[in-house]
Amino acid sequence: LLLPWRWVAADNHQFRVRPKNSLAFTPSAVAPWLTRRHNNSQLGMSLIPIPINELQQIVPNASKLTPTGDQYVTYLGRTPRERFNSLFEGFSVAFLGSMFAYFISFVIGQFLATLLGIIFLFWPILSPEFKAYQRNWELVGGRDLIDVWVDDDDDGYWSGVPQNKRGLYGAYYTATVDDICVVDDVRATADEEYDLDEFSDYTMTSDELESMTGIPWKLRLRLLDDEGRGMQVHARMSEDYLDLEPGMSAVGVLLSTSKEFDQLAGMTDFLVLDEVDGSTITWVGDYPYLPKDEFLRIIEKNGVAEELLDLQDDEDYLDDDDEDNGDEVEKEETLAPVKSKRLKGR
């Protein structure tokens, strides 16, 4: 889909898209792209609409807010420091809450005070569950998921309702990893970026920046689709990201209140695949919105995973052609080497 240039922030992510004429997708225009992309170059989009039955399986919604195991662990803590902070907060609330329940029992009665005390007592276990539940709800904000294939003219239910008030549409965003670096703040400029190679021995438990400032290093991932639109994603640095390389394929889910996706309302984490065999490299994001096994099964079944590899093959082919065509030009003139301005060391 063709979106106007604009910066949008959602869940610690920043992205922008290139100006072109807006194009609303319809079943007749998008469905053939999954199976006959090479027959019509105009259908080579990087946003693939998601039918409602798939969207409800992979995105938290009003009927599916219960946290998964990965979501629970995210708020319980992934490092000893995070787990200590989570448990300390939980036991503090449990102790103070139990005392509060005892004193309030003289006002509201023994039965209600006992129930309240039990909730406070188990707060160290319940707290990550409630926080993950709230995070899932915040992604959709209580809005319904809308089937992108429904034609407004055929469905009288939406007649008279503004499009941006109906709910959320979903689409797969497929792209290629263009650049990878590490920053100490999401607002850091290009001159303040560190090469990922400088963090070859990095682990979350030994984060030097977090030990000194309490704020961990951030991964900055730049994605580029086949239409030239770029997206910049930030996530807490992890040793799981050390195997990332430019040229790998990535896919995530974008949510919007409009079929044209001219304004985004939410974004999930991203799956990064190996460009050769399509194996999973890692999942990039601070919070695992997508159920991993279910998401992999769906994109393999609907052809999105295969399409990612096809796009990568096409890009490699074009790169080879560019290199072949540029041989004669390179013989006639010599280009000065470009020096990287990225910081070394940390």
Side-chain angles (χ1 to χ4, degrees):
L1 300 182
L2 309 178
L3 313 178
W5 268 121
R6 63 191 307 170
W7 282 102
V8 185
D11 275 347
N12 201 25
H13 302 295
Q14 292 181 335
F15 47 90
R16 59 180 183 174
V17 285
R18 191 177 57 181
K20 282 190 178 180
N21 296 328
S22 297
L23 175 65
F25 48 77
T26 60
S28 60
V30 178
W33 182 77
L34 289 172
T35 55
R36 302 193 301 273
R37 181 176 60 84
H38 298 288
N39 295 338
N40 190 341
S41 59
Q42 294 183 350
L43 298 179
M45 306 175 193
S46 295
L47 285 178
I48 307 174
I50 306 177
I52 187 63
N53 61 322
E54 291 184 8
L55 192 61
Q56 290 177 340
Q57 296 181 58
I58 60 179
V59 173
N61 53 80
S63 61
K64 186 184 176 184
L65 294 176
T66 303
T68 63
D70 291 333
Q71 293 171 348
Y72 181 89
V73 170
T74 298
Y75 278 103
L76 180 63
R78 294 174 292 180
T79 66
R81 180 193 295 268
E82 291 179 348
R83 286 191 290 270
F84 173 80
N85 292 336
S86 176
L87 292 176
F88 180 79
E89 175 190 341
F91 283 116
S92 299
V93 172
F95 174 76
L96 297 176
S98 299
M99 297 297 294
F100 173 77
Y102 169 74
F103 289 111
I104 204 175
S105 64
F106 299 102
V107 179
I108 64 175
Q110 191 71 27
F111 178 73
L112 293 178
T114 301
L115 293 179
L116 188 61
I118 292 175
I119 295 176
F120 282 122
L121 186 63
F122 286 94
W123 189 254
I125 300 176
L126 298 177
S127 176
E129 182 85 8
F130 290 154
K131 291 179 180 178
Y133 186 95
Q134 181 181 4
R135 184 73 174 268
N136 290 341
W137 184 89
E138 289 175 351
L139 178 65
V140 295
R143 293 167 290 189
D144 295 328
L145 299 178
I146 307 300
D147 196 338
V148 72
W149 306 110
V150 174
D151 192 342
D152 298 343
D153 298 333
D154 298 336
D155 189 359
Y157 179 79
W158 295 116
S159 59
V161 180
Q163 189 179 85
N164 61 350
K165 301 294 184 181
R166 299 175 181 177
L168 296 176
Y169 301 95
Y172 297 106
Y173 176 77
T174 60
T176 301
V177 177
D178 183 58
D179 188 36
I180 312 162
C181 60
V182 181
V183 294
D184 58 358
D185 189 270
V186 295
R187 295 164 295 184
T189 63
D191 293 336
E192 299 173 316
E193 296 174 346
Y194 294 84
D195 283 321
L196 185 62
D197 295 339
E198 297 290 323
F199 291 75
S200 58
D201 58 345
Y202 176 88
T203 61
M204 295 179 67
T205 57
S206 61
D207 192 305
E208 301 171 359
L209 185 64
E210 184 180 23
S211 62
M212 292 186 295
T213 65
I215 302 175
W217 290 101
K218 303 290 192 302
L219 177 80
R220 175 174 288 176
L221 186 70
R222 293 190 180 94
L223 304 176
L224 194 66
D225 64 17
D226 59 333
E227 294 290 334
R229 294 167 295 205
M231 176 178 291
Q232 186 167 276
V233 180
H234 291 97
R236 179 195 169 145
M237 183 59 185
S238 169
E239 54 266 33
D240 296 337
Y241 302 151
L242 297 178
D243 294 331
L244 290 174
E245 296 178 358
M248 292 181 173
S249 301
V251 58
V253 175
L254 305 183
L255 300 175
S256 176
T257 57
S258 142
K259 285 187 177 183
E260 290 78 17
F261 275 76
D262 52 359
Q263 185 175 1
L264 298 187
M267 179 167 53
T268 67
D269 44 325
F270 280 82
L271 167 64
V272 180
L273 302 173
D274 185 82
E275 70 274 17
V276 177
D277 57 5
S279 59
T280 300
I281 300 298
T282 188
W283 297 76
V284 177
D286 286 331
Y287 185 76
Y289 287 109
L290 300 175
K292 297 179 179 178
D293 294 338
E294 186 72 12
F295 186 74
L296 286 170
R297 182 188 66 81
I298 289 178
I299 65 173
E300 289 177 0
K301 180 179 179 180
N302 61 21
V304 172
E306 182 179 357
E307 187 62 33
L308 279 172
L309 298 180
D310 290 343
L311 288 174
Q312 184 64 42
D313 292 340
D314 292 345
E315 291 176 2
D316 293 341
Y317 177 77
L318 293 175
D319 290 341
D320 292 340
D321 284 348
D322 292 340
E323 291 177 1
D324 295 339
N325 295 333
D327 287 342
E328 296 181 359
V329 177
E330 291 177 358
K331 293 178 182 179
E332 296 178 358
E333 58 179 290
T334 303
L335 299 178
V338 178
K339 295 182 179 180
S340 174
K341 293 184 179 180
R342 281 198 179 157
L343 303 175
K344 298 295 182 181
R346 63 183 194 277

